[in-house]
Amino acid sequence: MKISYNWLKQFIAVDWSPEQVGELLTDLGLEVEGIDAFQSVKGALEGIVVGEVLTCVKHPNADKLKLTTVNVGAASPLQIVCGAPNVAAGQKVPVATIGTTLYTAEGDAWTIKKGKIRGEESEGMICAEDEMGLGTSHEGILVLDSTLDVGTPLADVFEVENDFIFEIGLTPNRADAMSHYGVARDLRAGLIQKNKQLELITPSVSAFHVDSRTLKIDVDVINAEKAPRYCGVTISGLKVEESPQWLQNRLKAIGLSPINNVVDATNYILHELGQPLHAFDASKISGNKILVKTVPTGTKFVTLDGVERELHEDDLMICNAEKPMCIAGVFGGIHSGVTEETKNIFLESAYFDPVSIRKTAKRHGLNTDASFRFERGIDPNITEYALKCAALLIQEVAGGEITSDLVDHYPKKISDFQVRLSFENAKKLIGEEISKETIKRILTSLDIKINNVTETGLGLTVPSYRNDVQREADIIEEVLRVYGYNNIATTQKLNASISQTSRKEDHNLQNIAGNMLASSGFNEILNNSLTSPGYIKLSKDLKDEFNVTILNPLSNDLSVLRQSMLFSGLESIAFNLNRKQGDLKLFEFGKTYHNYSNREELKHLTLFATGNKTTENWKVPTEKINFFYFKGLVAMVLERLGLTNYQTEPVTTDTFAEGLKLGLGKMTLVEFGLVKKPLLKHFDIDKEVFFADFNWDTILKVTSGKAVKVSPIAKYPEVRRDFALLLDQNVSFDAVYKLAKQTEKQLLKSVNLFDVYEGKNLPQGKKSYAVSFTLQDENKTLTDKQIDKVMKGLQSAFETQLGAELR
């Protein structure tokens, strides 16, 4: 949110520097993220003065140039070469003197220098309005009022405004600070705490009065629950045109583009007081009647941006006697707004139900200045006052008369909040005792009324615009932020408790697996659990009816909780690939959410890998990640968690082009493989991506009862023997491994496949496996006889059960 310092000083006459004010606002909880200088005209017309053209003759060496002498109030006139066709003697003109910096329309700076043009000296520049940033015309120089004094800085003539803009990172609970007036209230409380007693200056509405009653618009609030308060008044005989410069400057300072004097006035009041308003062209209100109601689902409505929207039955609409004119509190309609032909308006000021506005705004994907405020909760008691302020401002900038009584539909007044504060609880939460008088002074400065005072606490009335202060803890927080967090002493004693946890606790196992993955070149990611419902269509394994839908989503793309962690991971990969990060190894601990017979949350660990195994290096050739490399990473995770005796089987899903499933009995530990190309194409990924999905709930279950066995390092040496086995193409290494382990359970420690050959000199349908076997006896050194016996047993098993031959 942008706050203008000059605008702020209209409410509170503070003489601090912008930096001091920014620091105090941050201490008060309105974090100032940056302070930027603003000039209504870039460069502030510095160095440009009023000059008088004394002489103007044709340039001796150029047909289209003129040689002038100009009095700028200096000791002697300046000779300036000018190419404008309208320059003439006797004119008052803007002159950019030597050293002046001017700016192009694109914002590029250039400096006026003394030089020669076609052989004649030129000591400055007579400017057109576009060259100074005062307009877009370049037809000729800007001719000024002849009554202006020579030498007057042009910044004084055009009232150039210099300002400082605070960029405030407003938290969602601070609806009361969504305006210059709201920020000024907080600033005043902070200044009082620093012993600077300043009054809060509010605009007067004493001049508001009804001029006539010639244009009455009846108002019927049919849905009072969604519109607890609705005010309106008509203004007739106004003239819609460009806003005065001061109003344009105010809006430009906070990043708004001026539109016309009526719309600008409503925007001005919105940012000044925090009350959204809307002006309707009265001639387009058929039946001279306003109806505040909902309309049937499916009703078509075209908003100001020209988009036709389909309304929902819960959308509150501002209608005339025939049709909707505006989505209440969100966006106006294209056919009822103010145009240059508008002469009479109906000016609306209302308090709409925050929940209703938020749902409507999110339903239609709209986020406007009005909805931003309404959905957080504005001050219901400022509605009429803001309407009067806006009406007076419109009369000032557009003329016209008030031609109806002010309508104020407010059947059920919104009450202030009653809260009890205990001094003892304040001391406990703050950690330090703040004097009772200081607490009372702070609360009073925040417009919190003290109803009664006892030895133990205070009875308080909190104004309705502070909808975030309804509990005792909220009151204590208000006291603390104004008192100053930095003023609370830091304790000299540090208290901590040590808890004994099992190595197999969830967070400990996550740390074990995460540290191992990080040491293997992986980076941890954390993706949003909210995702797009459209992803369900990418996989037949996911069902639409199992979606957990958000009732009040931030956007349509974040309207369901994820059923799979694959898609958010692919989003991360696509994001990185688009930024030239091609070699990626990512892991994420997270949950998926399913609306089965009961809603369920399932824990997962997912791995993603794409690109090369290692970064480019002149010593090591690059090698792409492949299936077997990724399988090794998956196995490494399971082994690190103490899980080794699992079964392997192929898996066929919509996710994997080829994949495996590792499990224990009927329990699946992990599924992994190469992601299918159609899935990758949806995310514009043109590289192979490997994905592993660990069922973390199952892993926690099987590791919880698994004892850690510690064995001493064997004293006796290992022995390695190799076989070159000729096998059928359909025999896998897994079959060789399992058979070897079943045949020799005592001495066989490991089995490893170190080469595979398929090709020349082999019979049709055959392949060759080079397999190593590691043998070891933990109690003695193996003899050749023992070794030969084991190897013959293995050979016999391979030949009889797998049809293998030794090469």
Side-chain angles (χ1 to χ4, degrees):
M1 182 181 71
K2 295 181 184 295
I3 293 293
S4 157
Y5 191 25
N6 288 350
W7 200 341
L8 198 63
K9 287 192 281 189
Q10 291 179 196
F11 290 100
I12 185 165
V14 61
D15 57 358
W16 284 13
S17 70
E19 290 73 22
Q20 287 175 296
V21 172
E23 185 176 341
L24 179 55
L25 289 175
T26 298
D27 289 343
L28 289 166
L30 302 178
E31 183 181 358
V32 175
E33 297 174 341
I35 304 174
D36 297 316
F38 169 80
Q39 295 171 325
S40 57
V41 177
K42 191 170 180 63
L45 302 180
E46 188 175 340
I48 305 177
V49 298
V50 175
E52 181 178 8
V53 181
L54 301 177
T55 64
C56 177
V57 297
K58 184 177 175 297
H59 192 293
N61 303 316
D63 292 337
K64 294 184 179 181
L65 298 179
K66 293 179 182 178
L67 195 60
T68 67
T69 55
V70 184
N71 178 16
V72 295
S76 59
L78 303 178
Q79 177 172 290
I80 299 175
V81 176
C82 180
N86 64 329
V87 64
Q91 292 174 336
K92 296 286 180 69
V93 293
V95 179
T97 55
I98 292 171
T100 299
T101 300
L102 298 178
Y103 296 86
T104 65
E106 293 75 27
D108 298 327
W110 57 289
T111 303
I112 301 297
K113 298 178 181 178
K114 184 176 180 179
K116 286 188 176 183
I117 301 177
R118 293 291 184 95
E120 296 293 333
E121 283 195 354
S122 185
E123 301 174 296
M125 175 177 168
I126 304 175
C127 302
E129 65 176 45
D130 66 327
E131 293 165 332
M132 299 180 290
L134 295 174
T136 58
S137 174
H138 195 71
E139 294 178 357
I141 60 168
L142 179 63
V143 180
L144 303 173
D145 188 336
S146 61
T147 62
L148 293 174
D149 293 333
V150 169
T152 303
L154 208 65
D156 296 343
V157 177
F158 286 94
E159 298 179 358
V160 175
E161 183 165 0
N162 291 289
D163 198 356
F164 290 93
I165 308 302
F166 300 104
E167 184 67 48
I168 295 179
L170 196 66
T171 52
N173 63 307
R174 292 303 309 276
D176 62 296
M178 293 186 297
S179 66
H180 287 77
Y181 179 54
V183 173
R185 274 190 307 226
D186 254 27
L187 181 59
R188 173 177 170 269
L191 290 169
I192 290 174
Q193 179 61 22
K194 295 186 178 296
N195 297 316
K196 286 185 71 70
Q197 299 291 331
L198 295 175
E199 289 300 318
L200 197 60
I201 306 164
T202 55
S204 172
V205 293
S206 59
F208 180 88
H209 67 278
V210 178
D211 297 296
S212 66
R213 292 176 175 81
T214 56
L215 181 58
K216 181 183 179 184
I217 304 289
D218 294 322
V219 175
D220 185 3
V221 181
I222 296 172
N223 195 323
E225 287 185 2
K226 293 180 184 291
R229 188 173 190 183
Y230 191 90
C231 298
V233 72
T234 63
I235 305 174
S236 301
L238 49 77
K239 182 180 180 182
V240 178
E241 59 186 0
E242 191 176 81
S243 295
Q245 198 61 47
W246 71 265
L247 180 52
Q248 291 191 43
N249 289 344
R250 281 284 183 264
L251 298 180
K252 288 178 181 177
I254 58 173
L256 296 182
S257 298
I259 299 171
N260 60 54
N261 49 4
V262 174
V263 175
D264 292 350
T266 61
N267 284 334
Y268 180 88
I269 296 299
L270 178 142
H271 289 277
E272 178 167 85
L273 300 177
Q275 171 66 57
L277 303 110
H278 191 75
F280 297 92
D281 188 328
S283 66
K284 298 173 183 177
I285 303 176
S286 61
N288 279 359
K289 191 167 188 178
I290 293 284
L291 302 174
V292 184
K293 63 176 186 177
T294 55
V295 296
T297 295
T299 302
K300 305 292 185 182
F301 180 70
V302 181
T303 45
L304 276 171
D305 55 0
V307 176
E308 184 179 77
R309 304 179 188 275
E310 192 171 294
L311 301 176
H312 187 272
E313 61 183 7
D314 291 331
D315 294 337
L316 186 66
M317 303 298 296
I318 310 300
C319 308
N320 58 31
E322 297 176 355
K323 59 187 178 181
M325 298 188 297
C326 173
I327 303 177
V330 180
F331 211 19
I334 197 168
H335 300 302
S336 62
V338 173
T339 66
E340 292 181 357
E341 288 75 38
T342 299
K343 303 298 180 187
N344 309 319
I345 66 168
F346 175 81
L347 187 60
E348 166 198 278
S349 178
Y351 174 83
F352 297 118
D353 176 59
V355 174
S356 171
I357 297 300
R358 179 169 175 79
K359 287 183 177 180
T360 294
K362 298 308 174 188
R363 192 180 292 124
H364 295 290
L366 293 169
N367 182 23
T368 62
D369 282 339
S371 67
F372 178 81
R373 286 159 176 79
F374 276 127
E375 67 190 29
R376 285 162 175 77
I378 62 170
D379 182 1
N381 296 318
I382 204 174
T383 310
E384 180 185 5
Y385 172 72
L387 180 62
K388 290 180 177 179
C389 287
L392 290 172
L393 180 57
I394 289 173
Q395 283 186 293
E396 178 187 338
V397 299
E401 295 182 335
I402 307 295
T403 51
S404 74
D405 290 318
L406 189 150
V407 176
D408 187 3
H409 187 276
Y410 196 14
K412 186 177 180 182
K413 182 175 171 59
I414 297 174
S415 303
D416 294 335
F417 310 111
Q418 305 299 317
V419 184
R420 175 77 184 171
L421 172 65
S422 163
F423 293 132
E424 184 61 30
N425 288 342
K427 180 181 177 181
K428 286 180 181 178
L429 281 180
I430 294 172
E432 183 178 303
E433 185 170 5
I434 298 176
S435 72
K436 296 176 182 178
E437 289 305 315
T438 300
I439 290 176
K440 287 191 285 185
R441 184 178 71 248
I442 290 172
L443 293 175
T444 301
S445 70
L446 291 169
D447 295 338
I448 296 175
K449 183 181 177 183
I450 300 174
N451 299 322
N452 56 74
V453 183
T454 67
E455 283 298 315
T456 58
L458 303 172
L460 305 170
T461 297
V462 181
S464 55
Y465 66 79
R466 289 307 307 270
N467 52 37
D468 63 321
V469 182
Q470 300 184 31
R471 307 169 301 160
E472 183 183 48
D474 299 329
I475 293 288
I476 295 171
E477 182 183 359
E478 290 298 293
V479 171
L480 182 54
R481 72 180 182 85
V482 176
Y483 181 77
Y485 291 98
N486 294 335
N487 294 325
I488 303 299
T490 304
T491 178
Q492 300 300 310
K493 181 181 179 184
L494 179 64
N495 296 322
S497 58
I498 299 174
S499 61
Q500 184 176 359
T501 60
S502 166
R503 179 180 179 275
K504 295 170 184 175
E505 292 283 341
D506 186 2
H507 67 277
N508 285 331
L509 288 180
Q510 286 193 31
N511 285 336
I512 290 170
N515 288 337
M516 189 215 70
L517 288 167
S519 66
S520 300
F522 277 77
N523 288 302
E524 185 170 9
I525 58 175
L526 182 62
N527 286 308
N528 199 337
S529 296
L530 297 172
T531 190
S532 169
Y535 287 155
I536 296 298
K537 299 175 184 177
L538 299 178
S539 173
K540 294 178 182 178
D541 298 327
L542 305 177
K543 304 295 182 184
D544 202 31
E545 58 266 28
F546 296 152
N547 269 338
V548 178
T549 304
I550 305 301
L551 294 176
N552 197 15
L554 294 171
S555 69
N556 291 332
D557 289 335
L558 298 172
S559 59
V560 299
L561 289 166
R562 62 186 176 187
Q563 288 190 51
S564 169
M565 292 176 63
L566 170 63
F567 307 119
S568 54
L570 292 178
E571 286 177 350
S572 297
I573 287 178
F575 182 89
N576 280 277
L577 291 177
N578 289 337
R579 285 151 184 82
K580 308 302 180 185
Q581 300 297 316
D583 302 328
L584 300 170
K585 296 178 188 174
L586 309 173
F587 75 95
E588 178 181 12
F589 288 99
K591 293 180 179 180
T592 57
Y593 306 83
H594 310 269
N595 191 16
Y596 299 141
S597 54
N598 294 311
R599 291 181 177 174
E600 294 184 21
E601 295 182 14
L602 304 178
K603 296 178 181 178
H604 296 262
L605 163 63
T606 55
L607 310 184
F608 296 86
T610 185
N612 296 319
K613 296 178 183 178
T614 58
T615 55
E616 265 188 330
N617 189 290
W618 67 277
K619 288 184 177 180
V620 182
T622 56
E623 187 178 351
K624 289 190 177 298
I625 293 171
N626 56 42
F627 185 90
F628 297 102
Y629 172 78
F630 193 68
K631 178 185 176 184
L633 294 172
V634 172
M636 188 169 61
V637 172
L638 293 177
E639 185 176 350
R640 184 68 183 85
L641 297 173
L643 302 173
T644 53
N645 297 320
Y646 45 78
Q647 298 86 43
T648 304
E649 60 180 272
V651 62
T652 54
T653 68
D654 273 354
T655 301
F656 300 121
E658 55 178 343
L660 292 175
K661 178 171 71 174
L662 309 182
L664 291 173
K666 295 183 178 180
M667 295 185 294
T668 299
L669 297 175
V670 58
E671 292 182 351
F672 66 93
L674 177 65
V675 180
K676 285 185 174 179
K677 287 186 177 179
L679 271 177
L680 300 178
K681 186 177 179 181
H682 182 83
F683 294 89
D684 294 325
I685 299 173
D686 57 3
K687 302 178 67 172
E688 286 188 342
V689 175
F690 294 91
F691 169 63
D693 187 2
F694 291 83
N695 188 332
W696 196 251
D697 289 307
T698 301
I699 288 174
L700 292 175
K701 182 179 178 181
V702 298
T703 55
S704 62
K706 191 175 180 66
V708 176
K709 184 179 179 181
V710 180
S711 302
I713 297 174
K715 298 178 181 178
Y716 301 97
E718 296 177 344
V719 175
R720 169 175 164 161
R721 292 289 185 270
D722 297 340
F723 275 166
L725 299 174
L726 188 66
L727 297 160
D728 291 337
Q729 284 282 1
N730 61 353
V731 177
S732 66
F733 171 69
D734 187 55
V736 174
Y737 179 88
K738 288 179 179 178
L739 182 56
K741 284 289 189 178
Q742 290 171 3
T743 304
E744 179 52 56
K745 298 178 180 179
Q746 296 294 325
L747 302 179
L748 184 60
K749 299 302 180 183
S750 67
V751 183
N752 181 50
L753 176 66
F754 63 89
D755 188 35
V756 178
Y757 177 72
E758 296 174 311
K760 289 182 181 180
N761 305 321
L762 291 183
Q764 186 73 22
K766 295 288 186 178
K767 62 183 176 183
S768 176
Y769 274 179
V771 184
S772 66
F773 302 89
T774 303
L775 308 176
Q776 185 181 43
D777 190 330
E778 296 177 0
N779 300 311
K780 60 183 179 180
T781 302
L782 288 171
T783 64
D784 288 340
K785 187 176 182 180
Q786 288 176 299
I787 296 168
D788 291 341
K789 182 180 178 182
V790 171
M791 297 309 294
K792 284 180 181 178
L794 290 172
Q795 179 181 348
S796 176
F798 294 150
E799 290 173 345
T800 56
Q801 297 190 40
L802 299 179
E805 299 177 29
L806 286 184
R807 293 185 66 198

